[in-house]
Amino acid sequence: MWYHRAMEKQYLDEDKQVWIIEDFLTKEEIEWFKSQTDDELGWYPTMRSPYKNILNKFLNVVPKYDEDGNIEFPNENSEIIDLPVFSKPDGVWDRLDSVLPKGYKRHATLQTFKYMTDEEIKSNLNKDVMTEYGINEEDIDFAMYWHQDPGLESNILVSFSLYLNDDFEGGELEFGNLPIKVKPKAGMLAVIPGGEKYKHRVNKVLGPNSRHTLYGNSFVDPEKAPVSTKDDC
């Protein structure tokens, strides 16, 4: 099992709460994910997008759209697709189970921070999100502004990002209260605890390509994990 040789955590803070694993994915897996991120079908802009730049995609369900052309979120009627890259023994799900805190809820959701020109950014500003984060229109040099992930009070142990590409500039994971800045590398897993101490942001993606990740959480109680809806995702 190749990953037993490569799955070494590198701790980035003194408390050993923020960590990465380089080469979490094989080259073959990275290539497979590229085929999925290159496919334009099934993406939708999240309601948290400061300028419609954060896109999600559900990989393991057949994409369906409502009468308004909006993507339907996974539900009991969704047609499930078996993806061996996730489900096979020693696949992505097994490896995530082995390194994340107990309570990882398996899923196959991609998240992209889309590269946009300054002109595109200005024409796509989400005023509601900017107001929520206290951002002025002249201060738009970001992909996702300073924020903290929910913690134990919201049933979340940790969040993670699995980087799928690195053929772009910018897009670093930067922490506001710790001297940590992670430059994405294709195949790297990064884990982020919740709470104010671990406030962070994703810096503006400078191109020429977008920044792609698989993301998710470990929960105190996976059975009580929130269900994705158009109102909160």
Side-chain angles (χ1 to χ4, degrees):
M1 292 182 284
W2 70 273
Y3 63 86
H4 284 172
R5 299 193 303 274
M7 302 256 286
E8 180 179 352
K9 294 180 181 179
Q10 299 178 40
Y11 296 101
L12 306 183
D13 67 321
E14 292 182 355
D15 296 331
K16 296 186 175 181
Q17 298 299 306
V18 183
W19 50 267
I20 62 173
I21 295 177
E22 294 194 22
D23 302 319
F24 188 85
L25 297 176
T26 66
K27 291 181 179 179
E28 292 77 15
E29 288 168 340
I30 291 172
E31 284 300 312
W32 182 86
F33 277 110
K34 185 177 187 306
S35 72
Q36 305 303 305
T37 57
D38 285 350
D39 184 354
E40 297 182 358
L41 183 66
W43 293 100
Y44 73 93
T46 75
M47 54 87 68
R48 290 293 189 187
S49 296
Y51 38 91
K52 301 179 183 177
N53 62 311
I54 305 175
L55 310 177
N56 282 3
K57 180 178 183 178
F58 305 110
L59 286 183
N60 63 333
V61 297
V62 175
K64 291 185 178 179
Y65 298 84
D66 62 23
E67 57 187 16
D68 296 321
N70 299 314
I71 194 77
E72 289 188 2
F73 282 68
N75 56 65
E76 63 275 7
N77 298 318
S78 296
E79 184 179 347
I80 303 300
I81 306 170
D82 178 43
L83 300 172
V85 69
F86 289 99
S87 61
K88 68 182 180 181
D90 302 335
V92 172
W93 282 337
D94 277 357
R95 299 205 298 275
L96 287 171
D97 278 335
S98 73
V99 298
L100 293 172
K102 186 177 180 180
Y104 167 56
K105 187 168 184 178
R106 295 180 170 189
H107 69 87
T109 306
L110 299 184
Q111 186 167 88
T112 283
F113 286 78
K114 185 179 179 181
Y115 166 60
M116 288 183 170
T117 65
D118 288 350
E119 290 72 22
E120 289 174 314
I121 289 171
K122 291 174 183 177
S123 66
N124 283 290
L125 292 180
N126 185 330
K127 301 295 181 62
D128 291 338
V129 172
M130 294 183 70
T131 299
E132 178 182 346
Y133 283 97
I135 305 163
N136 297 319
E137 284 197 26
E138 62 269 18
D139 182 24
I140 54 176
D141 59 343
F142 55 87
M144 190 170 195
Y145 208 60
W146 293 113
H147 66 286
Q148 64 191 54
D149 291 345
L152 296 178
E153 73 282 358
S154 297
N155 191 35
I156 296 177
L157 292 170
V158 297
S159 302
F160 72 84
S161 289
L162 179 54
Y163 301 115
L164 305 178
N165 69 316
D166 52 22
D167 53 352
F168 57 88
E169 297 298 325
E172 301 91 352
L173 170 64
E174 183 176 12
F175 287 78
N177 298 320
L178 295 168
I180 299 174
K181 183 184 287 188
V182 178
K183 181 175 177 59
K185 175 185 174 184
M188 174 193 289
L189 176 68
V191 168
I192 307 167
E196 170 66 20
K197 182 176 181 179
Y198 303 101
K199 179 178 68 175
H200 58 280
R201 68 178 176 184
V202 175
N203 290 330
K204 181 182 177 183
V205 176
L206 303 175
N209 300 299
S210 298
R211 173 191 190 269
H212 304 298
T213 65
L214 176 81
Y215 80 99
N217 305 98
S218 281
F219 298 93
V220 177
D221 183 354
E223 296 301 317
K224 296 181 180 179
V227 177
S228 297
T229 70
K230 66 179 181 180
D231 296 322
D232 60 11
C233 291

